[in-house]
Amino acid sequence: MVSSYVYTGLWVNHSLARMRGTTLTLTNKNGAILVAFLATLVTAAGHAVWTILRYIFHQLRASDEPHDALYYQQQAALKNSSSALGTALTFLRMSWAWRRHERRMIWRSWTLLLVTVAVLISAIFTAAAIFSSQVTQTAGTAFLIRSPDCGLWDFPSDQTTGWQIKTLNDTHTAQNYARTCYQGGSANSRLCDRYKVPEIIWHTDRKAGCPFAAEACYNLSTPISMDTGYLDSHEIFGLNAVPEERVAVRKKTTCSPLRLRNWVDAVNTTLGDPSDPVTDPFIQVYIGGFSENDPALARNYTYRWNGHNVFMERGYDIQTVYAHAGYENSWAPISEFNRTDADVTVFFLAQNNVLYNFPNSDALFGANTILPDNNNFSSTEVPIHVYQPDRLISAMGCVDQFQVCNPALPGPVSTNSMLCTPLDAIIPLYKKVSSIQLSATQVETWSPIWRGMQYAGMDKVADGMDSSALRAQETVRNLFQTTKLPNDQWVVELAAWNAIALARIQATVLEYATGPINVVEQGGRIIKPEPDDKVGQSICKRQLILNVAGYQNFNMLGVTLTLIISSILIIIGWTVDIFVGWVQEWMGKHYARLTWVQDGYLQLQRMAYEGAGHADWEGSADDVPLTRGRTREEQVLMGLDLRDLRHPRLRGFEHGARLGVHGKALSSSLLE
């Protein structure tokens, strides 16, 4: 599974600037711990901010003038509150308790301001703690994968079966993906979360020129071209890299229905055992012969259709011939169909016994002739019109061209673009890459993309698929085309095939990083970068995928800022009174400094005991006062006097037993 190859740790997503793109990937378990820690840290920072603010409020209000009791209670609450909400609640309780006294006392005591600020601080930092988990959202859903099996695949020349199984399986996988995720498919499907982008978009030009000799194109339709434009290796294929280490590629496919009347002939061919021969009528197309290694397989025609098929209850049948420029092909197209700068593919469609419930004027699937004796298909007196194909065989031709560019170098001034090869066939393209001066890293980046482009020609998407390659086949029932096909059904088929071709490139690039599948089992091998090939090894560590279950990304900029800001606030909250106190002591402002200390609950307790007669204390200007005695007997204080339950007070010396001066000669019986 791809999820087993997800890299955990720090890395940089080069879709963003380095600072914003620095990402930490963790498992969900460890990610939950980090999220909880950040939330706790932000909460602590909120407490620190309130500590700073309550200290400021306390010091702003501090004065040596006489004040009412509510003032001193509020000062004590500001000093001793544990949280913003707790302080707000305490102030509200005090306001309620003092409601029957002078009304203006409440307004003069800053109650409304203090409660408002406390509630705001609590709300702000509660929300901040909740949204601290957004550092996982801002980091995006792209994950880096690293597999020990990274590499290309290959089969020995004697393992053609294994190669065929591998390529056919890959085509089926790409077809399934394309039908789900391309051209308005179920983009929300989990299947579509696999690649850096779920779908490669292309531009369709419905006014393209004929890709062959003018007389070869069907005159009732306009050729179309499908152009991807420039596809960035990082943004589209997920090969994580800074801009100067990327490459851009382009695929352009131009297709047209063909007019074959100049190259078609009807012949009778004798088949079977010579002792019992059978003669069948054939329609043969002559747009280039085949030169096979076995002379017995060589032939001068390109395609032939057996007229006997109309009696065989056969459905759609599609066959493909192709010629790659710059390569020794078995099919040699005639000059009208030959291209030296593109790879040529011709599709032949035989509709055989397929009948249509609705007419259509498509260049390949056209059916406008009402079948004689339609009543055979009607169970009522009302006749049902059934249509038969307009042509016994149809053909469509395509040319594929590819281009690779170096974004790090400018192209000609007149084009205002990057340096690119010309549009070309896949084999000549490989030989021309050196002209755009790719760096070693760019060459390795292009390598898996080029492998994908090798299997993205139109000859690969339908070869071996038979009628399952056709979208029209999906609505055929019992040799009846049950849906009214549009008059440009051939364009629908081309778009589906182009989607498969592009999905093949996406799959090949990802498979390079994760390690090819269905290869070793079929007799093939995986070609991995050599251990000392640092560039090749680095490319294996750059593949991005999306939405992998079990992992979380954290934006390190957000995490770092959260850590730094929260830590600074916490440190200030812990030390603000200490440092300001030093400054106040140096400046001689002792009243404000000491009121902050004396309003602490420990000093308030000390003063309460001193009022009850327990006066032997030290550290009265510090945060923690101490009794002077060093033994246990010398440190004992009296508890509450509960003789008046409605007015408890501290027990004074007059209620003690055998007390000495300042409690230094306590009887041991009081300690039992």
Side-chain angles (χ1 to χ4, degrees):
M1 294 178 62
V2 173
S3 59
S4 62
Y5 302 133
V6 172
Y7 170 75
T8 55
L10 279 174
W11 58 281
V12 179
N13 186 340
H14 292 295
S15 296
L16 304 169
R18 186 174 187 84
M19 184 176 293
R20 292 179 56 210
T22 302
T23 302
L24 174 64
T25 299
L26 297 174
T27 61
N28 280 345
K29 178 180 178 181
N30 292 334
I33 295 174
L34 180 56
V35 168
F37 170 75
L38 292 176
T40 302
L41 188 66
V42 171
T43 301
H47 286 302
V49 169
W50 176 242
T51 297
I52 297 168
L53 289 176
R54 64 186 174 87
Y55 176 75
I56 293 173
F57 282 131
H58 184 282
Q59 295 294 284
L60 289 175
R61 288 159 48 95
S63 80
D64 56 359
E65 298 178 1
H67 295 279
D68 54 46
L70 177 60
Y71 164 84
Y72 291 107
Q73 288 178 347
Q74 289 179 333
Q75 290 291 85
L78 286 173
K79 166 64 178 179
N80 298 290
S81 62
S82 59
S83 66
L85 275 184
T87 304
L89 182 60
T90 300
F91 270 66
L92 290 174
R93 286 176 175 173
M94 287 189 292
S95 298
W96 178 256
W98 286 93
R99 70 189 184 280
R100 294 182 181 178
H101 292 66
E102 181 188 353
R103 292 189 177 184
R104 294 189 61 189
M105 180 188 295
I106 304 300
W107 298 105
R108 286 190 285 102
S109 61
W110 294 27
T111 297
L112 184 60
L113 173 63
L114 293 170
V115 169
T116 301
V117 173
V119 171
L120 281 176
I121 291 297
S122 178
I124 289 171
F125 279 90
T126 298
I130 294 172
F131 288 103
S132 62
S133 62
Q134 292 299 304
V135 293
T136 64
Q137 301 296 325
T138 58
T141 57
F143 296 89
L144 201 64
I145 58 174
R146 296 180 178 179
S147 167
D149 296 323
C150 172
L152 299 173
W153 58 269
D154 189 28
F155 283 88
S157 58
D158 59 347
Q159 291 290 337
T160 56
T161 301
W163 178 87
Q164 290 171 343
I165 293 174
K166 167 65 176 171
T167 55
L168 190 58
N169 284 341
D170 287 351
T171 300
H172 277 294
T173 301
Q175 182 189 55
N176 182 43
Y177 181 88
R179 292 191 178 184
T180 303
C181 306
Y182 272 68
Q183 297 180 295
S186 304
N188 294 326
S189 169
R190 290 291 298 173
L191 179 65
C192 305
D193 291 342
R194 181 182 307 171
Y195 304 123
K196 182 68 165 58
V197 294
E199 174 184 6
I200 296 177
I201 306 299
W202 68 84
H203 170 70
T204 300
D205 180 4
R206 289 180 172 264
K207 296 183 179 181
C210 179
F212 308 107
E215 63 270 23
C217 288
Y218 192 65
N219 59 1
L220 295 182
S221 62
T222 301
I224 69 166
S225 69
M226 297 171 288
D227 192 337
T228 63
Y230 298 110
L231 307 176
D232 185 275
S233 59
H234 171 90
E235 299 296 343
I236 302 300
F237 298 110
L239 289 168
N240 191 38
V242 294
E244 58 268 22
E245 293 181 349
R246 302 176 188 177
V247 296
V249 297
R250 177 186 176 195
K251 177 180 182 288
K252 182 179 181 181
T253 301
T254 306
C255 301
S256 174
L258 300 178
R259 182 171 56 188
L260 298 175
R261 64 181 63 177
N262 295 336
W263 301 282
V264 173
D265 194 12
V267 298
N268 291 321
T269 301
T270 302
L271 305 173
D273 192 317
S275 62
D276 187 19
V278 175
T279 300
D280 280 351
F282 282 87
I283 294 178
Q284 295 187 166
V285 179
Y286 299 90
I287 57 174
F290 282 81
S291 56
E292 302 283 357
N293 294 330
D294 184 354
L297 298 176
R299 61 184 190 267
N300 65 343
Y301 62 86
T302 310
Y303 167 82
R304 70 176 182 177
W305 176 78
N306 192 333
H308 217 76
N309 287 342
V310 296
F311 306 107
M312 301 295 291
E313 295 189 354
R314 298 183 61 182
Y316 293 129
D317 177 72
I318 185 168
Q319 295 186 31
T320 308
V321 297
Y322 57 88
H324 292 166
Y327 187 76
E328 187 177 346
N329 303 283
S330 57
W331 175 52
I334 61 176
S335 60
E336 289 86 347
F337 292 89
N338 190 40
R339 291 284 296 264
T340 59
D341 62 343
D343 297 324
V344 177
T345 304
V346 176
F347 302 93
F348 294 98
L349 174 68
Q351 302 190 67
N352 296 316
N353 297 102
V354 176
L355 299 175
Y356 292 77
N357 289 341
F358 306 94
N360 78 85
S361 298
D362 183 73
L364 294 185
F365 298 89
N368 293 284
T369 304
I370 298 177
L371 185 71
D373 199 11
N374 277 281
N375 290 333
N376 289 339
F377 301 97
S378 176
S379 59
T380 67
E381 294 182 357
V382 179
I384 297 177
H385 288 171
V386 175
Y387 301 84
Q388 61 185 10
D390 295 338
R391 291 169 292 279
L392 295 174
I393 61 171
S394 304
M396 178 166 58
C398 294
V399 297
D400 291 303
Q401 293 180 298
F402 304 89
Q403 191 174 27
V404 60
C405 301
N406 185 351
L409 294 177
V413 176
S414 60
T415 62
N416 192 29
S417 64
M418 51 195 159
L419 186 60
C420 300
T421 65
L423 280 167
D424 214 329
I426 193 66
I427 300 300
L429 177 70
Y430 185 82
K431 300 175 181 178
K432 295 178 180 178
V433 168
S434 59
S435 66
I436 60 173
Q437 306 172 45
L438 295 179
S439 67
T441 301
Q442 287 175 306
V443 170
E444 291 293 336
T445 299
W446 180 60
S447 181
I449 301 175
W450 181 73
R451 172 57 72 92
M453 292 165 66
Q454 285 182 287
Y455 291 92
M458 282 297 182
D459 59 300
K460 299 297 191 300
V461 298
D463 191 25
M465 301 281 285
D466 199 42
S467 61
S468 64
L470 298 171
R471 298 301 295 265
Q473 177 63 36
E474 298 174 4
T475 52
V476 173
R477 302 291 183 272
N478 299 321
L479 296 179
F480 273 86
Q481 177 55 259
T482 60
T483 299
K484 180 175 176 55
L485 299 181
N487 292 332
D488 62 347
Q489 179 66 28
W490 67 279
V491 178
V492 174
E493 302 293 346
L494 280 177
W497 293 342
N498 198 50
I500 295 172
L502 298 176
R504 279 292 298 269
I505 303 178
Q506 291 178 284
T508 301
V509 174
L510 178 59
E511 188 183 58
Y512 175 83
T514 60
I517 59 174
N518 299 324
V519 173
V520 177
E521 301 87 343
Q522 302 297 335
R525 63 189 180 116
I526 300 175
I527 306 173
K528 302 179 182 180
E530 295 295 331
D532 59 349
D533 182 3
K534 294 183 179 180
V535 176
Q537 292 287 348
S538 70
I539 300 302
C540 285
K541 300 175 182 178
R542 295 189 175 193
Q543 183 64 54
L544 297 175
I545 56 173
L546 300 183
N547 302 312
V548 181
Y551 296 88
Q552 294 183 61
N553 279 339
F554 293 84
N555 182 291
M556 281 306 297
L557 177 61
V559 171
T560 303
L561 288 176
T562 301
L563 288 173
I564 292 175
I565 294 174
S566 297
S567 298
I568 290 174
L569 290 175
I570 291 171
I571 292 172
I572 293 175
W574 284 347
T575 60
V576 61
D577 57 337
I578 297 174
F579 286 105
V580 174
W582 289 346
V583 173
Q584 289 172 330
E585 186 174 12
W586 176 71
M587 296 178 64
K589 296 183 177 181
H590 299 295
Y591 189 85
R593 176 178 64 85
L594 290 175
T595 54
W596 176 256
V597 175
Q598 298 306 309
D599 280 335
Y601 63 87
L602 294 179
Q603 290 292 358
L604 291 175
Q605 183 188 54
R606 172 190 64 80
M607 289 187 284
Y609 274 109
E610 284 185 341
H614 301 275
D616 197 15
W617 294 85
E618 61 183 20
S620 298
D622 300 327
D623 287 331
V624 181
L626 304 172
T627 57
R628 294 185 184 276
R630 294 294 182 263
T631 65
R632 186 182 180 195
E633 290 82 359
E634 294 173 329
Q635 296 172 5
V636 172
L637 302 174
M638 303 305 294
L640 290 175
D641 180 356
L642 298 179
R643 287 179 297 176
D644 184 351
L645 294 179
R646 298 183 64 82
H647 195 150
R649 63 184 66 197
L650 290 174
R651 293 168 62 185
F653 287 125
E654 66 276 19
H655 301 298
R658 295 184 296 278
L659 288 172
V661 178
H662 300 308
K664 292 183 178 180
L666 286 164
S667 170
S668 61
S669 64
L670 294 176
L671 305 177
E672 296 177 354

